[in-house]
Coordinates of all heavy atoms in Angstrom, one line a residue:
I35 N -237.0 91.8 -119.3 CA -236.1 90.8 -118.7 C -234.8 90.8 -119.7 O -233.8 90.8 -119.3 CB -236.7 89.4 -118.3 CG1 -237.7 89.6 -117.3 CG2 -235.5 88.5 -118.0 CD1 -237.1 90.2 -115.9
Q36 N -235.2 90.5 -121.0 CA -234.1 90.4 -122.0 C -233.3 91.6 -122.1 O -232.1 91.5 -122.2 CB -234.7 90.0 -123.2 CG -235.4 88.6 -123.2 CD -236.0 88.2 -124.6 OE1 -236.6 89.2 -125.3 NE2 -236.1 87.0 -125.1
A37 N -233.9 92.7 -122.1 CA -233.2 94.0 -122.3 C -232.4 94.4 -120.9 O -231.3 94.8 -121.1 CB -234.2 95.2 -122.5
M38 N -232.9 94.0 -119.9 CA -232.2 94.2 -118.5 C -230.9 93.3 -118.4 O -229.9 93.7 -117.9 CB -233.2 94.1 -117.4 CG -232.5 94.5 -116.0 SD -232.2 96.3 -115.9 CE -233.9 96.9 -115.3
N39 N -231.2 92.1 -118.9 CA -230.1 91.2 -118.9 C -228.9 91.6 -119.8 O -227.7 91.4 -119.6 CB -230.4 89.8 -119.2 CG -229.4 88.8 -119.0 OD1 -228.7 88.8 -118.1 ND2 -229.2 87.8 -120.1
A40 N -229.3 92.1 -121.0 CA -228.3 92.7 -121.9 C -227.6 93.9 -121.3 O -226.3 94.0 -121.5 CB -229.0 93.1 -123.2
A41 N -228.3 94.7 -120.5 CA -227.6 95.9 -119.8 C -226.7 95.4 -118.8 O -225.6 95.9 -118.7 CB -228.7 96.8 -119.3
Y42 N -227.1 94.3 -118.1 CA -226.2 93.7 -117.1 C -224.9 93.2 -117.7 O -223.8 93.4 -117.2 CB -227.0 92.7 -116.3 CG -226.1 91.7 -115.4 CD1 -225.7 92.2 -114.3 CD2 -225.7 90.4 -115.9 CE1 -225.1 91.4 -113.3 CE2 -225.0 89.7 -115.0 CZ -224.5 90.2 -113.8 OH -223.9 89.4 -112.9
E43 N -225.1 92.5 -118.8 CA -223.9 91.9 -119.4 C -222.9 92.8 -119.9 O -221.7 92.6 -120.0 CB -224.3 91.0 -120.6 CG -225.0 89.7 -120.0 CD -225.5 88.8 -121.1 OE1 -225.5 89.3 -122.2 OE2 -225.8 87.7 -120.7
R44 N -223.3 94.1 -120.5 CA -222.5 95.1 -120.9 C -221.9 96.1 -120.0 O -221.1 97.0 -120.2 CB -222.9 95.7 -122.2 CG -224.2 96.6 -122.0 CD -224.6 97.4 -123.2 NE -225.8 98.1 -123.1 CZ -227.0 97.6 -123.4 NH1 -227.2 96.5 -123.9 NH2 -228.1 98.4 -123.2
E45 N -222.6 96.2 -118.8 CA -222.4 97.2 -117.8 C -220.9 97.1 -117.2 O -220.5 96.0 -117.0 CB -223.3 97.2 -116.6 CG -223.2 98.3 -115.7 CD -223.1 99.6 -116.3 OE1 -224.2 100.0 -116.9 OE2 -222.0 100.4 -116.3
E46 N -220.1 98.2 -117.2 CA -218.7 98.3 -116.7 C -218.5 98.8 -115.4 O -217.6 98.6 -114.7 CB -217.9 98.9 -117.7 CG -217.8 98.3 -119.1 CD -217.0 99.3 -120.2 OE1 -216.4 100.2 -119.7 OE2 -217.3 98.9 -121.3
N47 N -219.6 99.5 -114.9 CA -219.5 100.1 -113.5 C -219.9 99.0 -112.6 O -221.1 98.6 -112.6 CB -220.3 101.3 -113.4 CG -220.4 101.8 -112.0 OD1 -219.6 101.5 -111.2 ND2 -221.3 102.9 -111.7
P48 N -219.0 98.5 -111.6 CA -219.4 97.5 -110.7 C -220.6 97.8 -109.8 O -221.4 96.9 -109.6 CB -218.2 97.3 -109.8 CG -217.1 97.8 -110.7 CD -217.7 99.0 -111.4
A49 N -220.8 99.1 -109.5 CA -221.9 99.4 -108.5 C -223.4 99.3 -109.4 O -224.3 98.8 -109.0 CB -221.8 100.9 -108.0

Side-chain angles (χ1 to χ4, degrees):
I35 294 300
Q36 292 174 331
M38 188 68 85
N39 186 46
Y42 170 78
E43 291 179 347
R44 69 173 170 266
E45 185 55 64
E46 297 175 13
N47 178 6

